Amino acid sequence: MRTTMIGFDRPLKPRWIFECLLLANPGQRLTELNGPFEQIARELTGREGKRKVRTVLFRCFLRDEQNKARARGNLVIKDLSLKYGLAFMTPVYLFYLVAHTEVLKKMSEHIFRLYDFGQEIKMSFVKAKMVDSFGERDVVTRSAGAFIQTLKNFGVVERVDGRLRLQKRLPVDEEQTRVILQLFALEILGSPQIFLNHLPRSMFNYFKLPDLKIVAQKYNGELWDYQHRLKDDYLIMHF
């Protein structure tokens, strides 16, 4: 179930996501995590600021869209976090966050249309493009700033000599790529079929991917069926 909200009010950090997921249980009342989050995000000051960060994190990673007071019944992303740990999951969290959040996908489209890695990001220009897409709303420009700070927290964006720069793609190995592809099919597309030559840049351009044909072949017959055609390569997942 994709999140369709406009607002992304506050930036997130990978550690906050990881520690929240470890504490959450399927179907749990999200209010039960309010107190623990206070300890997780200790560096945040102000009750309202903490509440807004918590709201964004819960909405993107935990909340059941059919019953918004509770966590999802199937917390695949928690199970992965328990198995692999924070360092492995950090790029997976970024993929999941962008893929689930319409405003972040749209912002990513603008970023990659305007800039290449190594170039300075002009925040005023990004905000103007977002206003063009979503209208003149304060929450739209706040979302742009919060997302750029989130990318900084993930190591994709860096501040160099006082200027923001789209610094580097996050390297992912074959197993991380396998996890991302499975999540893409199961959680984002809701379909077992993925076309490898047409992966959306708004979600995948943040990562330095290995050779996808090698990854496809490595898990062929075990996790998916890999079909190679002249014009495309595609996977049929084993759900």
CSV table of all heavy atoms in Angstrom, one decimal, residues 58-117:
chain,number,residue,atom,x,y,z
A,58,PHE,N,6.3,6.8,11.4
A,58,PHE,CA,5.3,5.7,11.5
A,58,PHE,C,4.5,5.6,10.2
A,58,PHE,O,4.1,4.5,9.8
A,58,PHE,CB,4.3,6.1,12.7
A,58,PHE,CG,4.9,5.9,14.0
A,58,PHE,CD1,6.2,5.6,14.2
A,58,PHE,CD2,4.1,6.1,15.2
A,58,PHE,CE1,6.8,5.4,15.5
A,58,PHE,CE2,4.6,5.9,16.4
A,58,PHE,CZ,6.0,5.6,16.6
A,59,ARG,N,4.2,6.8,9.6
A,59,ARG,CA,3.4,6.8,8.4
A,59,ARG,C,4.1,6.0,7.3
A,59,ARG,O,3.5,5.3,6.5
A,59,ARG,CB,3.1,8.2,8.0
A,59,ARG,CG,2.0,8.4,6.9
A,59,ARG,CD,1.4,9.7,6.9
A,59,ARG,NE,2.4,10.8,7.2
A,59,ARG,CZ,2.0,12.1,7.4
A,59,ARG,NH1,0.7,12.4,7.3
A,59,ARG,NH2,2.9,13.0,7.6
A,60,CYS,N,5.4,6.2,7.1
A,60,CYS,CA,6.1,5.7,6.0
A,60,CYS,C,6.5,4.2,6.2
A,60,CYS,O,6.6,3.4,5.3
A,60,CYS,CB,7.4,6.5,5.8
A,60,CYS,SG,7.1,8.2,5.2
A,61,PHE,N,6.7,3.8,7.5
A,61,PHE,CA,7.3,2.5,7.7
A,61,PHE,C,6.4,1.5,8.5
A,61,PHE,O,6.6,0.3,8.5
A,61,PHE,CB,8.7,2.6,8.4
A,61,PHE,CG,9.7,3.1,7.6
A,61,PHE,CD1,10.0,4.5,7.5
A,61,PHE,CD2,10.5,2.2,6.8
A,61,PHE,CE1,11.0,5.0,6.7
A,61,PHE,CE2,11.5,2.7,5.9
A,61,PHE,CZ,11.8,4.1,5.9
A,62,LEU,N,5.5,2.0,9.3
A,62,LEU,CA,4.7,1.2,10.2
A,62,LEU,C,3.2,1.1,10.0
A,62,LEU,O,2.6,0.1,10.2
A,62,LEU,CB,5.1,1.6,11.6
A,62,LEU,CG,6.5,1.3,12.2
A,62,LEU,CD1,6.7,2.0,13.5
A,62,LEU,CD2,6.7,-0.2,12.3
A,63,ARG,N,2.6,2.2,9.7
A,63,ARG,CA,1.2,2.4,9.8
A,63,ARG,C,0.4,1.5,8.8
A,63,ARG,O,0.7,1.5,7.7
A,63,ARG,CB,0.8,3.9,9.7
A,63,ARG,CG,-0.6,4.2,10.1
A,63,ARG,CD,-0.9,5.6,10.0
A,63,ARG,NE,-1.1,6.1,8.6
A,63,ARG,CZ,-1.3,7.3,8.2
A,63,ARG,NH1,-1.3,8.3,9.1
A,63,ARG,NH2,-1.4,7.7,7.0
A,64,ASP,N,-0.6,0.9,9.4
A,64,ASP,CA,-1.6,0.1,8.5
A,64,ASP,C,-2.6,1.1,7.9
A,64,ASP,O,-3.3,1.8,8.6
A,64,ASP,CB,-2.3,-0.9,9.4
A,64,ASP,CG,-3.2,-1.8,8.6
A,64,ASP,OD1,-3.6,-1.4,7.5
A,64,ASP,OD2,-3.5,-2.9,9.1
A,65,GLU,N,-2.6,1.2,6.6
A,65,GLU,CA,-3.5,2.2,5.9
A,65,GLU,C,-4.9,1.9,6.1
A,65,GLU,O,-5.8,2.7,6.0
A,65,GLU,CB,-3.1,2.2,4.4
A,65,GLU,CG,-1.8,2.9,4.1
A,65,GLU,CD,-1.7,4.3,4.7
A,65,GLU,OE1,-2.6,5.1,4.4
A,65,GLU,OE2,-0.8,4.6,5.4
A,66,GLN,N,-5.3,0.6,6.5
A,66,GLN,CA,-6.7,0.3,6.7
A,66,GLN,C,-7.1,0.6,8.2
A,66,GLN,O,-8.3,0.7,8.5
A,66,GLN,CB,-6.9,-1.2,6.4
A,66,GLN,CG,-6.5,-1.7,5.1
A,66,GLN,CD,-7.0,-0.8,3.9
A,66,GLN,OE1,-8.2,-0.5,3.9
A,66,GLN,NE2,-6.2,-0.4,3.0
A,67,ASN,N,-6.1,0.6,9.1
A,67,ASN,CA,-6.4,0.9,10.5
A,67,ASN,C,-5.2,1.8,11.0
A,67,ASN,O,-4.2,1.2,11.5
A,67,ASN,CB,-6.5,-0.4,11.3
A,67,ASN,CG,-6.9,-0.1,12.8
A,67,ASN,OD1,-6.9,1.1,13.2
A,67,ASN,ND2,-7.2,-1.1,13.5
A,68,LYS,N,-5.3,3.1,10.8
A,68,LYS,CA,-4.2,3.9,11.0
A,68,LYS,C,-3.7,4.1,12.4
A,68,LYS,O,-2.6,4.7,12.7
A,68,LYS,CB,-4.5,5.3,10.4
A,68,LYS,CG,-4.7,5.2,8.9
A,68,LYS,CD,-5.0,6.6,8.3
A,68,LYS,CE,-5.2,6.4,6.8
A,68,LYS,NZ,-5.4,7.7,6.1
A,69,ALA,N,-4.4,3.5,13.4
A,69,ALA,CA,-4.0,3.5,14.8
A,69,ALA,C,-3.0,2.4,15.1
A,69,ALA,O,-2.4,2.4,16.2
A,69,ALA,CB,-5.2,3.4,15.7
A,70,ARG,N,-2.9,1.5,14.1
A,70,ARG,CA,-2.1,0.3,14.4
A,70,ARG,C,-1.0,0.1,13.4
A,70,ARG,O,-1.0,0.6,12.3
A,70,ARG,CB,-3.0,-1.0,14.5
A,70,ARG,CG,-3.9,-1.0,15.6
A,70,ARG,CD,-4.7,-2.3,15.7
A,70,ARG,NE,-5.6,-2.3,16.9
A,70,ARG,CZ,-5.3,-2.7,18.1
A,70,ARG,NH1,-4.0,-3.1,18.4
A,70,ARG,NH2,-6.1,-2.6,19.1
A,71,ALA,N,0.0,-0.7,13.8
A,71,ALA,CA,1.1,-1.2,12.8
A,71,ALA,C,0.5,-2.2,11.9
A,71,ALA,O,-0.5,-2.9,12.1
A,71,ALA,CB,2.3,-1.8,13.6
A,72,ARG,N,1.2,-2.3,10.7
A,72,ARG,CA,0.8,-3.3,9.7
A,72,ARG,C,0.9,-4.7,10.3
A,72,ARG,O,1.7,-5.0,11.1
A,72,ARG,CB,1.7,-3.2,8.5
A,72,ARG,CG,1.6,-1.8,7.8
A,72,ARG,CD,2.7,-1.6,6.8
A,72,ARG,NE,2.8,-0.2,6.4
A,72,ARG,CZ,3.8,0.3,5.8
A,72,ARG,NH1,4.9,-0.5,5.5
A,72,ARG,NH2,3.9,1.6,5.5
A,73,GLY,N,0.0,-5.5,9.8
A,73,GLY,CA,0.0,-6.9,10.2
A,73,GLY,C,1.3,-7.7,9.8
A,73,GLY,O,1.7,-8.7,10.4
A,74,ASN,N,1.8,-7.2,8.6
A,74,ASN,CA,3.0,-7.9,8.1
A,74,ASN,C,4.1,-6.9,8.0
A,74,ASN,O,4.2,-6.1,7.0
A,74,ASN,CB,2.6,-8.5,6.7
A,74,ASN,CG,3.8,-9.3,6.1
A,74,ASN,OD1,4.7,-9.6,6.8
A,74,ASN,ND2,3.7,-9.6,4.8
A,75,LEU,N,5.0,-7.0,8.9
A,75,LEU,CA,6.2,-6.0,8.9
A,75,LEU,C,7.4,-6.7,8.3
A,75,LEU,O,8.4,-7.0,9.0
A,75,LEU,CB,6.4,-5.6,10.4
A,75,LEU,CG,5.4,-4.7,11.0
A,75,LEU,CD1,5.7,-4.4,12.5
A,75,LEU,CD2,5.3,-3.4,10.3
A,76,VAL,N,7.4,-6.8,7.0
A,76,VAL,CA,8.5,-7.4,6.3
A,76,VAL,C,9.8,-6.6,6.5
A,76,VAL,O,10.8,-7.2,6.7
A,76,VAL,CB,8.2,-7.4,4.8
A,76,VAL,CG1,9.4,-7.9,4.0
A,76,VAL,CG2,7.0,-8.3,4.5
A,77,ILE,N,9.7,-5.3,6.6
A,77,ILE,CA,10.8,-4.5,6.7
A,77,ILE,C,11.5,-4.6,8.1
A,77,ILE,O,12.7,-4.5,8.3
A,77,ILE,CB,10.5,-3.0,6.4
A,77,ILE,CG1,11.7,-2.2,6.1
A,77,ILE,CG2,9.7,-2.4,7.5
A,77,ILE,CD1,12.2,-2.2,4.7
A,78,LYS,N,10.6,-5.0,9.1
A,78,LYS,CA,11.2,-5.3,10.4
A,78,LYS,C,11.9,-6.6,10.4
A,78,LYS,O,13.0,-6.7,11.0
A,78,LYS,CB,10.1,-5.3,11.5
A,78,LYS,CG,10.6,-5.8,12.8
A,78,LYS,CD,9.6,-6.1,13.9
A,78,LYS,CE,10.3,-6.6,15.1
A,78,LYS,NZ,9.4,-6.7,16.3
A,79,ASP,N,11.4,-7.6,9.8
A,79,ASP,CA,12.0,-8.9,9.7
A,79,ASP,C,13.4,-8.8,9.1
A,79,ASP,O,14.4,-9.4,9.5
A,79,ASP,CB,11.1,-9.9,9.0
A,79,ASP,CG,9.8,-10.2,9.7
A,79,ASP,OD1,9.7,-9.9,10.9
A,79,ASP,OD2,8.8,-10.6,9.0
A,80,LEU,N,13.4,-8.0,8.0
A,80,LEU,CA,14.7,-7.8,7.3
A,80,LEU,C,15.7,-7.1,8.2
A,80,LEU,O,16.9,-7.4,8.2
A,80,LEU,CB,14.5,-7.0,6.0
A,80,LEU,CG,13.8,-7.7,4.9
A,80,LEU,CD1,13.3,-6.7,3.8
A,80,LEU,CD2,14.6,-8.8,4.3
A,81,SER,N,15.2,-6.1,9.0
A,81,SER,CA,16.1,-5.3,9.9
A,81,SER,C,16.7,-6.2,11.0
A,81,SER,O,17.9,-6.1,11.3
A,81,SER,CB,15.3,-4.2,10.5
A,81,SER,OG,14.8,-3.3,9.6
A,82,LEU,N,15.9,-7.1,11.5
A,82,LEU,CA,16.3,-8.1,12.5
A,82,LEU,C,17.4,-9.0,11.9
A,82,LEU,O,18.4,-9.3,12.6
A,82,LEU,CB,15.2,-8.9,13.0
A,82,LEU,CG,14.2,-8.2,14.1
A,82,LEU,CD1,13.0,-9.1,14.3
A,82,LEU,CD2,15.0,-8.0,15.4
A,83,LYS,N,17.2,-9.4,10.7
A,83,LYS,CA,18.1,-10.3,10.1
A,83,LYS,C,19.5,-9.7,9.7
A,83,LYS,O,20.5,-10.3,9.9
A,83,LYS,CB,17.5,-11.0,8.8
A,83,LYS,CG,18.3,-12.0,8.1
A,83,LYS,CD,17.5,-12.7,7.0
A,83,LYS,CE,18.4,-13.7,6.3
A,83,LYS,NZ,17.7,-14.4,5.2
A,84,TYR,N,19.4,-8.5,9.2
A,84,TYR,CA,20.6,-7.9,8.5
A,84,TYR,C,21.3,-6.8,9.2
A,84,TYR,O,22.5,-6.5,9.0
A,84,TYR,CB,20.2,-7.4,7.1
A,84,TYR,CG,19.9,-8.6,6.1
A,84,TYR,CD1,18.6,-8.8,5.7
A,84,TYR,CD2,20.9,-9.4,5.7
A,84,TYR,CE1,18.3,-9.8,4.8
A,84,TYR,CE2,20.6,-10.4,4.8
A,84,TYR,CZ,19.3,-10.6,4.4
A,84,TYR,OH,19.0,-11.6,3.5
A,85,GLY,N,20.6,-6.0,10.1
A,85,GLY,CA,21.2,-5.0,10.8
A,85,GLY,C,21.2,-3.6,10.1
A,85,GLY,O,20.8,-3.5,8.9
A,86,LEU,N,21.6,-2.6,10.8
A,86,LEU,CA,21.4,-1.2,10.4
A,86,LEU,C,22.3,-0.9,9.1
A,86,LEU,O,21.8,-0.3,8.2
A,86,LEU,CB,21.8,-0.2,11.5
A,86,LEU,CG,21.8,1.3,11.1
A,86,LEU,CD1,20.4,1.7,10.6
A,86,LEU,CD2,22.2,2.1,12.3
A,87,ALA,N,23.5,-1.3,9.1
A,87,ALA,CA,24.4,-0.9,8.0
A,87,ALA,C,23.9,-1.5,6.6
A,87,ALA,O,23.8,-0.8,5.6
A,87,ALA,CB,25.8,-1.4,8.2
A,88,PHE,N,23.5,-2.7,6.7
A,88,PHE,CA,22.9,-3.4,5.5
A,88,PHE,C,21.6,-2.7,5.0
A,88,PHE,O,21.4,-2.5,3.9
A,88,PHE,CB,22.7,-4.9,5.8
A,88,PHE,CG,22.1,-5.7,4.6
A,88,PHE,CD1,22.9,-6.4,3.8
A,88,PHE,CD2,20.7,-5.6,4.4
A,88,PHE,CE1,22.3,-7.2,2.8
A,88,PHE,CE2,20.2,-6.3,3.3
A,88,PHE,CZ,21.0,-7.1,2.5
A,89,MET,N,20.8,-2.4,6.0
A,89,MET,CA,19.4,-1.9,5.7
A,89,MET,C,19.4,-0.4,5.4
A,89,MET,O,18.4,0.0,4.8
A,89,MET,CB,18.5,-2.1,6.9
A,89,MET,CG,18.2,-3.6,7.2
A,89,MET,SD,17.3,-4.4,5.8
A,89,MET,CE,15.8,-3.5,5.8
A,90,THR,N,20.4,0.4,5.6
A,90,THR,CA,20.3,1.8,5.4
A,90,THR,C,19.9,2.1,3.9
A,90,THR,O,19.0,2.9,3.7
A,90,THR,CB,21.7,2.5,5.8
A,90,THR,OG1,21.8,2.4,7.2
A,90,THR,CG2,21.7,4.0,5.3
A,91,PRO,N,20.6,1.6,2.9
A,91,PRO,CA,20.1,1.9,1.5
A,91,PRO,C,18.7,1.4,1.3
A,91,PRO,O,17.9,1.9,0.5
A,91,PRO,CB,21.1,1.3,0.6
A,91,PRO,CG,21.9,0.3,1.4
A,91,PRO,CD,21.8,0.8,2.8
A,92,VAL,N,18.4,0.2,1.9
A,92,VAL,CA,17.0,-0.4,1.7
A,92,VAL,C,16.0,0.6,2.3
A,92,VAL,O,14.9,0.8,1.7
A,92,VAL,CB,17.0,-1.8,2.4
A,92,VAL,CG1,15.6,-2.4,2.2
A,92,VAL,CG2,18.0,-2.7,1.8
A,93,TYR,N,16.3,1.2,3.4
A,93,TYR,CA,15.3,2.1,4.0
A,93,TYR,C,15.1,3.3,3.1
A,93,TYR,O,14.0,3.8,2.9
A,93,TYR,CB,15.8,2.7,5.4
A,93,TYR,CG,15.9,1.7,6.5
A,93,TYR,CD1,16.8,1.9,7.5
A,93,TYR,CD2,15.1,0.6,6.6
A,93,TYR,CE1,16.9,1.0,8.6
A,93,TYR,CE2,15.1,-0.3,7.6
A,93,TYR,CZ,16.1,-0.1,8.6
A,93,TYR,OH,16.1,-1.0,9.7
A,94,LEU,N,16.2,3.8,2.5
A,94,LEU,CA,16.0,5.0,1.6
A,94,LEU,C,15.1,4.6,0.4
A,94,LEU,O,14.2,5.3,0.0
A,94,LEU,CB,17.4,5.5,1.1
A,94,LEU,CG,17.3,6.7,0.1
A,94,LEU,CD1,16.6,7.9,0.8
A,94,LEU,CD2,18.7,7.1,-0.3
A,95,PHE,N,15.4,3.4,-0.2
A,95,PHE,CA,14.5,3.0,-1.3
A,95,PHE,C,13.1,2.9,-0.8
A,95,PHE,O,12.2,3.4,-1.5
A,95,PHE,CB,15.0,1.6,-1.8
A,95,PHE,CG,14.0,0.9,-2.7
A,95,PHE,CD1,13.9,1.3,-4.0
A,95,PHE,CD2,13.1,0.0,-2.2
A,95,PHE,CE1,13.0,0.8,-4.9
A,95,PHE,CE2,12.1,-0.6,-3.1
A,95,PHE,CZ,12.1,-0.2,-4.4
A,96,TYR,N,12.8,2.2,0.3
A,96,TYR,CA,11.5,2.0,0.8
A,96,TYR,C,10.8,3.3,1.1
A,96,TYR,O,9.6,3.5,0.7
A,96,TYR,CB,11.6,1.2,2.1
A,96,TYR,CG,10.3,0.6,2.6
A,96,TYR,CD1,9.9,-0.7,2.1
A,96,TYR,CD2,9.5,1.2,3.5
A,96,TYR,CE1,8.8,-1.3,2.5
A,96,TYR,CE2,8.4,0.6,4.0
A,96,TYR,CZ,8.0,-0.7,3.5
A,96,TYR,OH,6.9,-1.3,4.0
A,97,LEU,N,11.5,4.3,1.6
A,97,LEU,CA,10.9,5.6,2.0
A,97,LEU,C,10.5,6.3,0.7
A,97,LEU,O,9.4,6.8,0.6
A,97,LEU,CB,12.0,6.4,2.7
A,97,LEU,CG,11.6,7.8,3.1
A,97,LEU,CD1,10.5,7.8,4.1
A,97,LEU,CD2,12.8,8.6,3.7
A,98,VAL,N,11.4,6.4,-0.3
A,98,VAL,CA,11.1,7.1,-1.5
A,98,VAL,C,9.9,6.4,-2.3
A,98,VAL,O,9.0,7.0,-2.8
A,98,VAL,CB,12.3,7.3,-2.4
A,98,VAL,CG1,11.9,7.8,-3.8
A,98,VAL,CG2,13.4,8.1,-1.7
A,99,ALA,N,10.0,5.1,-2.4
A,99,ALA,CA,9.1,4.3,-3.2
A,99,ALA,C,7.7,4.4,-2.6
A,99,ALA,O,6.7,4.3,-3.3
A,99,ALA,CB,9.5,2.9,-3.3
A,100,HIS,N,7.5,4.5,-1.3
A,100,HIS,CA,6.2,4.6,-0.6
A,100,HIS,C,5.6,6.0,-0.6
A,100,HIS,O,4.5,6.1,-0.1
A,100,HIS,CB,6.4,4.1,0.8
A,100,HIS,CG,6.1,2.6,0.9
A,100,HIS,ND1,4.8,2.1,1.2
A,100,HIS,CD2,6.8,1.5,0.8
A,100,HIS,CE1,4.8,0.8,1.3
A,100,HIS,NE2,6.1,0.4,1.0
A,101,THR,N,6.4,7.0,-0.9
A,101,THR,CA,5.9,8.4,-0.6
A,101,THR,C,5.9,9.2,-1.9
A,101,THR,O,6.9,9.5,-2.5
A,101,THR,CB,6.9,9.0,0.4
A,101,THR,OG1,7.1,8.1,1.5
A,101,THR,CG2,6.3,10.3,0.9
A,102,GLU,N,4.7,9.5,-2.4
A,102,GLU,CA,4.5,10.2,-3.7
A,102,GLU,C,5.3,11.5,-3.8
A,102,GLU,O,5.9,11.7,-4.8
A,102,GLU,CB,3.0,10.4,-3.9
A,102,GLU,CG,2.1,9.2,-4.1
A,102,GLU,CD,2.5,8.4,-5.3
A,102,GLU,OE1,3.0,9.0,-6.3
A,102,GLU,OE2,2.3,7.2,-5.3
A,103,VAL,N,5.3,12.3,-2.7
A,103,VAL,CA,6.0,13.6,-2.8
A,103,VAL,C,7.5,13.4,-3.0
A,103,VAL,O,8.1,14.1,-3.7
A,103,VAL,CB,5.6,14.5,-1.6
A,103,VAL,CG1,6.3,13.9,-0.3
A,103,VAL,CG2,6.1,15.9,-1.9
A,104,LEU,N,8.0,12.3,-2.4
A,104,LEU,CA,9.5,12.1,-2.5
A,104,LEU,C,9.8,11.5,-3.9
A,104,LEU,O,10.9,11.8,-4.4
A,104,LEU,CB,9.9,11.1,-1.4
A,104,LEU,CG,9.6,11.6,0.0
A,104,LEU,CD1,10.3,10.7,1.1
A,104,LEU,CD2,10.1,13.1,0.2
A,105,LYS,N,8.9,10.7,-4.4
A,105,LYS,CA,9.2,10.2,-5.8
A,105,LYS,C,9.2,11.4,-6.8
A,105,LYS,O,10.0,11.5,-7.7
A,105,LYS,CB,8.1,9.2,-6.2
A,105,LYS,CG,8.3,7.8,-5.6
A,105,LYS,CD,7.5,6.8,-6.3
A,105,LYS,CE,6.0,7.0,-5.9
A,105,LYS,NZ,5.2,5.8,-6.4
A,106,LYS,N,8.2,12.3,-6.6
A,106,LYS,CA,8.1,13.5,-7.5
A,106,LYS,C,9.4,14.4,-7.3
A,106,LYS,O,9.9,14.8,-8.3
A,106,LYS,CB,6.8,14.3,-7.2
A,106,LYS,CG,6.7,15.5,-8.1
A,106,LYS,CD,6.6,15.2,-9.6
A,106,LYS,CE,5.4,14.5,-10.0
A,106,LYS,NZ,5.3,14.3,-11.4
A,107,MET,N,9.8,14.6,-6.1
A,107,MET,CA,10.9,15.4,-5.8
A,107,MET,C,12.2,14.7,-6.4
A,107,MET,O,13.1,15.4,-7.0
A,107,MET,CB,11.1,15.6,-4.3
A,107,MET,CG,11.9,16.8,-4.0
A,107,MET,SD,12.0,17.1,-2.2
A,107,MET,CE,10.4,16.8,-1.7
A,108,SER,N,12.3,13.4,-6.3
A,108,SER,CA,13.4,12.7,-6.9
A,108,SER,C,13.4,12.8,-8.4
A,108,SER,O,14.5,13.0,-9.0
A,108,SER,CB,13.3,11.2,-6.5
A,108,SER,OG,13.4,11.0,-5.1
A,109,GLU,N,12.3,12.8,-9.0
A,109,GLU,CA,12.2,13.0,-10.5
A,109,GLU,C,12.8,14.4,-10.9
A,109,GLU,O,13.6,14.5,-11.8
A,109,GLU,CB,10.8,12.9,-11.0
A,109,GLU,CG,10.2,11.5,-11.0
A,109,GLU,CD,8.7,11.5,-11.3
A,109,GLU,OE1,8.2,12.5,-11.7
A,109,GLU,OE2,8.1,10.4,-11.1
A,110,HIS,N,12.4,15.4,-10.1
A,110,HIS,CA,13.0,16.7,-10.3
A,110,HIS,C,14.5,16.8,-10.1
A,110,HIS,O,15.2,17.3,-10.9
A,110,HIS,CB,12.3,17.7,-9.4
A,110,HIS,CG,10.9,18.0,-9.8
A,110,HIS,ND1,10.5,18.3,-11.1
A,110,HIS,CD2,9.7,18.1,-9.1
A,110,HIS,CE1,9.2,18.6,-11.2
A,110,HIS,NE2,8.7,18.4,-9.9
A,111,ILE,N,14.9,16.2,-9.0
A,111,ILE,CA,16.4,16.2,-8.7
A,111,ILE,C,17.2,15.6,-9.8
A,111,ILE,O,18.2,16.2,-10.2
A,111,ILE,CB,16.6,15.5,-7.3
A,111,ILE,CG1,16.1,16.4,-6.2
A,111,ILE,CG2,18.1,15.2,-7.1
A,111,ILE,CD1,16.1,15.6,-4.8
A,112,PHE,N,16.8,14.4,-10.3
A,112,PHE,CA,17.6,13.7,-11.3
A,112,PHE,C,17.4,14.3,-12.7
A,112,PHE,O,18.2,14.1,-13.5
A,112,PHE,CB,17.3,12.2,-11.2
A,112,PHE,CG,17.7,11.6,-10.0
A,112,PHE,CD1,16.8,10.7,-9.3
A,112,PHE,CD2,18.9,11.8,-9.4
A,112,PHE,CE1,17.2,10.1,-8.1
A,112,PHE,CE2,19.3,11.2,-8.3
A,112,PHE,CZ,18.5,10.3,-7.6
A,113,ARG,N,16.4,15.1,-12.9
A,113,ARG,CA,16.2,15.8,-14.1
A,113,ARG,C,17.1,17.1,-14.2
A,113,ARG,O,17.6,17.4,-15.2
A,113,ARG,CB,14.8,16.2,-14.4
A,113,ARG,CG,14.5,16.7,-15.8
A,113,ARG,CD,13.0,16.6,-16.2
A,113,ARG,NE,12.1,17.1,-15.1
A,113,ARG,CZ,11.2,16.3,-14.5
A,113,ARG,NH1,11.0,15.0,-14.9
A,113,ARG,NH2,10.4,16.8,-13.6
A,114,LEU,N,17.3,17.7,-13.0
A,114,LEU,CA,18.0,18.9,-12.9
A,114,LEU,C,19.5,18.7,-12.6
A,114,LEU,O,20.3,19.5,-13.1
A,114,LEU,CB,17.4,19.7,-11.7
A,114,LEU,CG,16.0,20.2,-11.8
A,114,LEU,CD1,15.5,20.8,-10.5
A,114,LEU,CD2,15.9,21.3,-12.9
A,115,TYR,N,19.9,17.7,-11.9
A,115,TYR,CA,21.3,17.5,-11.4
A,115,TYR,C,21.8,16.2,-11.7
A,115,TYR,O,21.1,15.2,-11.7
A,115,TYR,CB,21.3,17.8,-9.9
A,115,TYR,CG,20.7,19.1,-9.5
A,115,TYR,CD1,19.5,19.2,-8.8
A,115,TYR,CD2,21.3,20.3,-9.8
A,115,TYR,CE1,18.9,20.4,-8.4
A,115,TYR,CE2,20.8,21.6,-9.5
A,115,TYR,CZ,19.6,21.6,-8.8
A,115,TYR,OH,19.0,22.8,-8.4
A,116,ASP,N,23.1,16.1,-11.8
A,116,ASP,CA,23.9,14.9,-11.8
A,116,ASP,C,24.7,14.8,-10.5
A,116,ASP,O,24.9,15.8,-9.8
A,116,ASP,CB,24.8,14.8,-13.0
A,116,ASP,CG,25.2,13.4,-13.4
A,116,ASP,OD1,24.8,12.5,-12.6
A,116,ASP,OD2,25.8,13.2,-14.4
A,117,PHE,N,25.2,13.6,-10.2
A,117,PHE,CA,26.0,13.5,-9.0
A,117,PHE,C,27.3,14.3,-9.1
A,117,PHE,O,27.9,14.4,-10.2
A,117,PHE,CB,26.3,12.0,-8.7
A,117,PHE,CG,25.1,11.3,-8.1
A,117,PHE,CD1,24.2,10.7,-8.9
A,117,PHE,CD2,25.0,11.3,-6.7
A,117,PHE,CE1,23.1,10.1,-8.4
A,117,PHE,CE2,23.9,10.6,-6.2
A,117,PHE,CZ,22.9,10.1,-7.0
